Amino acid sequence: MFVNNIEHRYEDFCLDIKNIEFKNNSVIGLVGENGGGKTTLMNILSGEMIANGRCSVKEDLVASDRIMIYSDLEVYDYLTVEEFLGFVIKYNETQKDVEELLEILGLSDKRKSLIEELSLGMKKKLTLTPLFVREYDYIFLDEPFNSIDLNYIYRLKELMKI
């Protein structure tokens, strides 16, 4: 994906990006101050948001499959972990099963727990479930390691092949 130009204006700030290339099968980190436009850029690139200024992006694949995963994605507190994973599987038409996802997420012992009973880190793991149910051309993660324990951060990096 090559960004020729993205401009998005706020009342007191303008995100103005020119000539950046995101190579396939690579991991890119965005570093900057709070309010610096990192999440806005990811939202625009993932298709979650439309720039209110200029926007010229060339994608390697015309019909790319993109997903944005937020660090604060709200999950359904009244569901058990197992029910939530079943829901994700059903609506993503994946060949994965609940057992496989429980293992990948490191939540096998929490399968019958209500999501509202989980720690912040365990809830965060659930927000990452879409990473493991199908293939994407581009995945945009906003602060993916916040609230997750060090052991799982290491495992997640291995799963993402960083």
Side-chain angles (χ1 to χ4, degrees):
M1 177 185 301
F2 186 82
V3 175
N4 292 325
N5 191 330
I6 291 179
E7 183 181 284
H8 187 82
R9 295 186 179 279
Y10 290 97
E11 187 175 313
D12 59 346
F13 174 75
C14 179
L15 175 68
D16 190 10
I17 305 292
K18 290 180 178 53
N19 302 323
I20 296 177
E21 183 176 6
F22 299 98
K23 295 186 187 248
N24 289 348
N25 300 315
S26 63
V27 176
I28 312 292
L30 300 177
V31 179
E33 296 179 13
N34 290 342
K38 300 177 299 293
T39 299
T40 298
L41 176 60
M42 288 188 284
N43 280 331
I44 291 168
L45 293 176
S46 68
E48 293 287 319
M49 175 186 231
I50 297 172
N52 60 15
R54 295 176 306 241
C55 186
S56 175
V57 177
K58 291 183 189 174
E59 293 184 18
D60 296 330
L61 301 172
V62 175
S64 87
D65 197 0
R66 301 174 285 185
I67 184 171
M68 175 69 173
I69 298 177
Y70 297 92
S71 60
D72 60 349
L73 180 68
E74 299 217 4
V75 291
Y76 301 104
D77 285 345
Y78 57 89
L79 294 176
T80 65
V81 170
E82 185 175 47
E83 290 169 334
F84 176 76
L85 294 177
F87 180 76
V88 172
I89 288 168
K90 178 179 178 180
Y91 289 100
N92 280 283
E93 300 176 6
T94 180
Q95 298 302 311
K96 305 274 184 183
D97 61 24
V98 170
E99 293 302 321
E100 188 175 0
L101 290 176
L102 285 167
E103 178 65 29
I104 290 170
L105 295 167
L107 293 173
S108 295
D109 61 331
K110 299 293 183 187
R111 74 178 315 125
K112 299 290 183 192
S113 298
L114 289 174
I115 292 170
E116 70 182 359
E117 298 169 349
L118 299 178
S119 70
L120 183 59
M122 290 180 189
K123 288 179 183 179
K124 178 61 184 274
K125 288 179 184 181
L126 283 177
T127 67
L128 298 173
T129 302
L131 283 175
F132 309 112
V133 295
R134 54 187 257 234
E135 297 290 321
Y136 297 95
D137 296 322
Y138 301 99
I139 299 171
F140 300 91
L141 301 171
D142 193 1
E143 301 184 17
F145 304 130
N146 285 1
S147 306
I148 296 179
D149 63 84
L150 291 176
N151 290 329
Y152 194 73
I153 289 172
Y154 177 78
R155 178 166 166 73
L156 184 57
K157 286 180 178 181
E158 288 213 335
L159 290 167
M160 291 170 50
K161 296 182 175 119
I162 292 178

